[in-house]
Amino acid sequence: MLGQSVSIDGEALRELYRTACDAGDLGGCHYLAGLFADGVGGPPDPPAAARLYDIACGAGVAASCVQLAFMAAATEPEPPFGWLKRACELGVHAC
């Protein structure tokens, strides 16, 4: 497999992460949010991505807090310090 490209079924990937997220796996919610944000397996859906990142961030997934901050920085006039502060409290090196 090394050196060979592998095709990814984005729709199937979305379904796998959706199943994981629906079962309470916060990592699944985080990765599903990334697929929505990037448009993998379907059209980009930033609001859906933000909702999923918010769920995961609120439950302690620091990387989701950082992603929310990046999304907000691209669209909001105020710096997204709240999410970065939360990420720092959770131990991510966003400080």
Side-chain angles (χ1 to χ4, degrees):
M1 189 64 73
L2 185 61
Q4 298 177 358
S5 66
V6 177
S7 77
I8 296 173
D9 182 346
E11 289 181 39
L13 199 54
R14 274 194 188 196
E15 284 307 310
L16 287 172
Y17 283 130
R18 185 184 321 275
T19 299
C21 182
D22 289 347
D25 183 305
L26 297 171
C29 296
H30 174 80
Y31 289 116
L32 179 59
L35 297 177
F36 278 119
D38 295 337
V40 175
D45 189 347
R51 283 190 301 275
L52 289 164
Y53 281 139
D54 191 47
I55 289 167
C57 174
V61 179
S64 289
C65 303
V66 172
Q67 290 301 319
L68 277 170
F70 287 146
M71 290 179 78
T75 60
E76 302 293 326
E78 295 294 319
F81 293 128
W83 285 304
L84 292 177
K85 181 177 183 228
R86 173 80 172 138
C88 287
E89 291 167 354
L90 293 169
V92 96
H93 300 287
C95 308

